[in-house]
């Protein structure tokens, strides 16, 4: 939707699973608010929708034309999260975007 330059902070599912496991094993203080037990799972890297599309096309080793639709009213144009709290517990993302997409694509291809 729109020009495709809106960004998101894409995280490999395996990194998300590791973050969840790290939190189940962490000794967290008794929370005083929801913010005390809320953690951002992210890479701290912005990727545009266009970059994501190009990477998917490359990983799939195919040629398709990316199509744009009208922008959505009120859509968030940039999203990138800070992971300092989670990194403080020893977690960090390990799988870069292209590698994560490749793993995911290969897994789906092998399931068919």
């Amino acid at each position: 939707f729109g020009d495709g330059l809106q960004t998101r902070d894409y995280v490999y599912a395996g990194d998300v699973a590791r973050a969840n496991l790290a939190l189940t094993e962490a000794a967290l203080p008794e929370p005083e608010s929801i913010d005390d037990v809320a953690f951002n799972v992210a890479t701290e890297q912005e990727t545009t929708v266009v970059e994501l599309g190009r990477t998917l096309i490359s990983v799939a080793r195919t040629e398709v034309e990316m199509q744009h639709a009208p922008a959505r009213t009120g859509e968030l144009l940039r999203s990138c999260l800070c992971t300092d709290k989670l990194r403080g517990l020893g977690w960090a993302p390990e799988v870069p975007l292209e590698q994560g997409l490749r793993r995911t694509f290969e897994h789906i291809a092998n399931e068919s």
Side-chain angles (χ1 to χ4, degrees):
F1 295 93
D3 60 10
L5 298 181
Q6 57 273 52
T7 65
R8 299 293 182 264
D9 189 337
Y10 298 101
V11 187
Y12 179 62
D15 284 339
V16 174
R18 283 188 320 95
N20 281 287
L21 284 173
L23 288 167
T24 65
E25 298 168 354
L28 301 175
E30 188 65 34
E32 293 180 23
S33 74
I34 188 75
D35 290 334
D36 294 338
V37 290
F39 292 83
N40 292 328
V41 181
T43 64
E44 298 184 353
Q45 295 180 341
E46 291 181 78
T47 301
T48 68
V49 175
V50 169
E51 290 172 309
L52 177 67
R54 287 182 182 146
T55 304
L56 282 169
I57 290 167
S58 172
V59 165
R61 297 184 187 137
T62 189
E63 287 295 324
V64 294
E65 179 184 344
M66 284 192 268
Q67 298 178 0
H68 295 267
R72 293 191 251 187
T73 303
E75 180 176 8
L76 182 67
L77 297 181
R78 294 183 66 198
S79 179
C80 186
L81 302 173
C82 175
T83 61
D84 289 349
K85 278 177 61 179
L86 195 50
R87 287 175 188 269
L89 298 175
W91 178 90
E94 294 178 351
V95 181
L97 178 66
E98 184 172 349
Q99 183 181 4
L101 290 173
R102 188 175 316 287
R103 287 182 186 181
T104 303
F105 183 83
E106 288 171 357
H107 175 78
I108 292 169
N110 290 332
E111 291 295 314
S112 305

